[in-house]
Amino acid sequence: MHPEGVPVTVEIGLNAVIVAVVNRSPRILAVSETDGDMRDSLPFGPFDPARHRTFEASLRARVEKRTALKLGYIEQLYTFGDRGRQRLPGEEGKHMVSVGYLALTRTDAENNERLAEAGAHWRDWHGYLPWEDWRHGRPAVLDQTILPALARWEAGLAGDEKSAASAQRRSRVRLAFGLDDFPWDEERVLERYELLYEAGLVREAVIDGHGRESDTPAAGLAMRHDHRRIVATAVARLRGKIKYRPVVFELMPPEFTLTDLQATVEAISGRHLHKQNFRRLVEGAELVEPTGGTLASTGGRPAALFRFRRQILDERPAPGLKVGGR
């Protein structure tokens, strides 16, 4: 019951960060609405306990019905229920609680047609989080826009608490963005996004009334509600997960080259990996085995084809690819 005596309805919805790797690009499935708001949103649907016993079953059924996508690995991320997180006109008495999920899939031309019919499309997740892509070196947006704006935010306090609070802000920025003696940690995706939100450097903060319009260009594409925060949560979870579980193979075709496997791991981690070191890592982990087939490549000798060795799941408790991190 609302403090003023007005009843409040709580609805449970399911948001999915559905990930695929397309042309060596990490993509998430985004939905475009028809109400004139150009911002993307994540696939969303209400949980119907009369039809489905579990949240996961409901999510799988809804996604398959609308898009024909077959979801592989799926994992619950977090419950997002902060007051005001999803403001809609005329819904003062309704509070939306969303259960966020990370789901992995593969894509092809046939289901892409179904996606278009459903108003959905694949979007490179670096469009939302451009500071996370280190595959070709340090992202220019960090030094050109983000770090100068964060420095102004650090120093923008007044009063007796200015010194201590500024030092605390500086410490958080150093840790999250890998400054001074701290290394860049690709798993701190959510911490970086939340710092940018707090500093008013993402459009969502301005829309939510926690920031003001400024001359600083917005960092990345805005999404509806708190969906970009859910995306950041999913990217962080997946980057950590590939180091300990073989979930990357949910994004691969049944047969693949080691070059394609490396490109997929790089797409997810946002890091460039040395070719020979990566191959030694894969061989040492015994995650793949040759199929005996080859794939003709332009300008070179045919590349050997491999497949995931599923026996590894019975042989090792944490069969992942420890490419770096904390």
Side-chain angles (χ1 to χ4, degrees):
M1 183 75 70
H2 191 273
E4 288 77 19
V6 179
V8 175
T9 300
V10 176
E11 288 193 0
I12 297 177
L14 307 175
N15 278 114
V17 182
I18 303 173
V19 178
V21 174
V22 182
N23 296 327
R24 302 185 177 182
S25 169
R27 309 288 181 94
I28 64 169
L29 191 65
V31 178
S32 299
E33 306 294 346
T34 58
D35 58 3
D37 188 335
M38 300 302 292
R39 292 177 296 160
D40 289 336
S41 62
L42 292 171
F44 171 85
F47 172 59
D48 183 357
R51 299 185 61 187
H52 300 107
R53 186 175 63 86
T54 66
F55 290 164
E56 182 177 327
S58 181
L59 179 66
R60 287 183 182 275
R62 182 173 180 83
V63 169
E64 184 173 342
K65 180 178 180 180
R66 289 197 64 188
T67 68
L69 282 175
K70 298 283 189 180
L71 301 183
Y73 177 85
I74 187 168
E75 173 183 349
Q76 188 176 130
L77 287 171
Y78 192 72
T79 299
F80 301 85
D82 293 354
R83 189 171 61 188
R85 61 172 294 273
Q86 188 156 321
R87 298 174 182 171
L88 295 175
E91 292 192 342
E92 291 79 5
K94 183 181 293 186
H95 181 65
M96 180 63 69
V97 174
S98 287
V99 182
Y101 277 87
L102 166 66
L104 308 183
T105 190
R106 304 181 183 99
T107 183
D108 55 39
E110 181 179 349
N111 59 38
N112 281 344
E113 291 181 5
R114 286 283 296 272
L115 291 176
E117 293 172 1
H121 53 275
W122 293 108
R123 176 88 78 179
D124 189 323
W125 75 32
H126 292 127
Y128 306 115
L129 309 169
W131 55 88
E132 295 293 337
D133 188 2
W134 287 66
R135 289 173 296 174
H136 306 292
R138 184 180 179 86
V141 69
L142 281 175
D143 298 311
Q144 293 176 357
T145 301
I146 291 175
L147 295 179
L150 286 174
R152 293 191 293 272
W153 174 70
E154 293 167 18
L157 295 166
D160 296 338
E161 299 179 355
K162 177 177 180 179
S163 179
S166 293
Q168 184 183 44
R169 286 183 175 186
R170 177 63 181 171
S171 178
R172 291 172 60 200
V173 171
R174 288 171 63 212
L175 182 61
F177 285 89
L179 304 180
D180 302 331
D181 54 339
F182 288 102
W184 174 270
D185 185 341
E186 66 269 17
E187 291 183 46
R188 294 188 181 274
V189 188
L190 181 58
E191 294 171 53
R192 288 187 280 272
Y193 176 75
E194 290 186 330
L195 262 176
L196 294 174
Y197 182 96
E198 187 175 337
L201 300 180
V202 293
R203 179 68 181 163
E204 290 89 335
V206 177
I207 293 171
D208 293 346
H210 300 302
R212 60 183 179 83
E213 296 285 359
S214 70
D215 296 330
T216 303
L221 297 173
M223 299 186 77
R224 289 172 178 251
H225 313 306
D226 58 355
H227 290 191
R228 192 153 45 144
R229 181 172 183 258
I230 300 175
V231 169
T233 305
V235 174
R237 179 73 61 84
L238 184 54
R239 285 181 170 181
K241 187 69 66 173
I242 64 172
K243 299 172 185 177
Y244 305 102
R245 303 299 301 168
V247 294
V248 68
F249 296 101
E250 298 285 351
L251 302 168
M252 304 296 299
E255 297 185 353
F256 48 83
T257 67
L258 291 184
T259 297
D260 286 336
L261 178 60
Q262 178 176 338
T264 299
V265 174
E266 289 178 333
I268 298 302
S269 67
R271 304 176 56 190
H272 170 70
L273 304 173
H274 186 275
K275 180 178 178 179
Q276 295 305 321
N277 290 345
F278 178 79
R279 298 203 170 194
R280 281 194 291 268
L281 176 68
V282 171
E283 291 171 1
E286 299 180 319
L287 291 174
V288 301
E289 60 188 6
T291 67
T294 59
L295 181 67
S297 58
T298 303
R301 64 182 182 180
L305 288 170
F306 291 80
R307 59 176 166 247
F308 172 51
R309 197 173 71 84
R310 296 194 175 275
Q311 300 95 305
I312 196 71
L313 297 174
D314 299 323
E315 300 170 3
R316 191 175 306 159
L321 288 166
K322 295 178 175 59
V323 296
R326 286 180 256 198

